[in-house]
Amino acid sequence: MNEHDMEKMASILVDGGNERITAIDGADVVIVNTCCVREKAEQKFYSLMGRLRIIKKRQGLLLGVTGCIAQMEKEQIMDRLPFIDFSLGPSSIHRINEAISSAAAKKTFLDFSDNGCTTPFLVKPLDPKGSIKTFVTIMKGCNNFCSYCIVPYVRGREASRESRDILEEIQGLAQKGLKEVTLLGQNVNSYNKGKDDLPFPALLEAINRIDGIERIRFVTSHPKDLSPDLIDCFGRLEKLCEHIHLPFQSGSDKVLRLMNRGYTAGEYVDRLNRLRERSPGIAITADCIVGFPGEDEKAFEDTMELVEKIGFDGIFSFVYSPRKYTAASTLPDEVPRDIGFNRLARLQGLQKSITIRKNRAFEGKQVEVLVENVSKNSEEDLMGRTRTNKIVNFRGDRDMIGTLVRVGIVKGYANSLKGEKLEIEGGIIC
Ligand code: SAH
Ligand code: SF4
């Protein structure tokens, strides 16, 4: 989401007559876009700002801060970083050129206004990823208030973008030759909830009808909004890829209650079972937090059991990090950091073995790959993704980039698959 926000800012900046450069030497303006979901990101940000302060002095450049830390700190950011020239919250990125002009005139520019502002919806990203795939924001904000999470405080309440605008944008992308769109939102499957516009499954159906688009994905979903209508879209809409990212956060009902997630572990498993009945080979990935206050050894074992039972294709796992404003930051029964990190290592070890097992099961199978780029492993190899979002590296010509090809999988690793392009002769794959 942050990367996408940066592309949107880049597009406004270029429209405003600026040029994007990759090296800091020679830059007139440096903008640091921030995340505050976990404390580590915040610590990294402040240490980077210490280094940038020195460069600013030397080079005389303008320095600005955008994103979630800006929104969290608001005007107080000037107490901690008095040397910055401007700061904007996520709902104000459309004012970035104004911020720079004001700073150039030696007037500090700050805007952390209305989180309900939907103007940023109208800003298109600068670089739709080499014109093969891109993100399209369809909603922003979150109403869920999971007890550990700062997002509702810095990204505001849920607001959905009009379906007409979204469809128009995707039609334009298809005309430019883009093949894949990922619909983006903090809580993407609650799109248009309670609003008199297309509900999420109907939006997917309308995108499925757009010529030129070959693949549709969406991220991130909340289990409570995984409706029967949405489950029914899988397998029915041929462009909707067989992958869902569905964070479970914990396998313990006690911890899920403390997290205010609104479902039990059993309900989560039931929903995934229904999804798997509908779309048997669907890949499932998730987020999970360990070391949440009140997570005893039994609760952590419940998480390990759930991970084993579901057999996720991959999970992003984190040690709980207390955040300002959130309800969980005042909870008793904190878990010591070393126990949290030990549990994280155990969970990641288990998941790694499951991922390798699942990736090895692809060996000998054929998959459809959308070729995205030259592989990072070798100049002679290409890199693409399966519909289930697995990375595949295989030998091939660069003119295949942007096309769909059939690949035979010869090896499954922890993070990717190795494949061989299948030749088609007279319509028969040999
Ligand atoms: N809107 C998305 C993403 C939220 S942030 C969603 O609801 O899934 C991404 C992930 O960061 C979360 O899913 C959660 O696993 C993790 N996270 C959020 N707050 C955290 C915290 N305080 N400590 C540790 N991990 C956290
Ligand atoms: Fe945060 Fe929960 Fe909202 Fe996701 S659903 S953004 S974890 S409050």
Side-chain angles (χ1 to χ4, degrees), residues 2 144 362:
N2 269 9
N144 289 328
F362 275 87

Short mmCIF file of all heavy atoms in Angstrom, two decimals, residues 2 144 362:
data_model
loop_
_atom_site.label_atom_id
_atom_site.label_comp_id
_atom_site.label_asym_id
_atom_site.label_seq_id
_atom_site.Cartn_x
_atom_site.Cartn_y
_atom_site.Cartn_z
N ASN A 2 1.95 1.21 0.83
CA ASN A 2 2.84 2.38 0.87
C ASN A 2 3.54 2.59 -0.46
O ASN A 2 3.71 3.73 -0.91
CB ASN A 2 3.87 2.21 1.98
CG ASN A 2 3.37 2.80 3.27
OD1 ASN A 2 2.21 3.19 3.36
ND2 ASN A 2 4.22 2.89 4.25
N ASN A 144 -12.44 -1.65 11.68
CA ASN A 144 -12.45 -2.85 12.51
C ASN A 144 -11.83 -2.69 13.90
O ASN A 144 -12.19 -3.41 14.82
CB ASN A 144 -11.74 -4.00 11.78
CG ASN A 144 -12.58 -4.48 10.62
OD1 ASN A 144 -13.82 -4.43 10.68
ND2 ASN A 144 -11.95 -4.91 9.56
N PHE A 362 4.35 -29.25 -6.66
CA PHE A 362 4.16 -28.74 -8.03
C PHE A 362 5.08 -29.46 -9.03
O PHE A 362 4.88 -29.35 -10.23
CB PHE A 362 4.48 -27.23 -8.09
CG PHE A 362 3.31 -26.36 -7.73
CD1 PHE A 362 3.07 -26.04 -6.41
CD2 PHE A 362 2.46 -25.87 -8.70
CE1 PHE A 362 2.00 -25.23 -6.06
CE2 PHE A 362 1.38 -25.06 -8.37
CZ PHE A 362 1.16 -24.75 -7.04
#
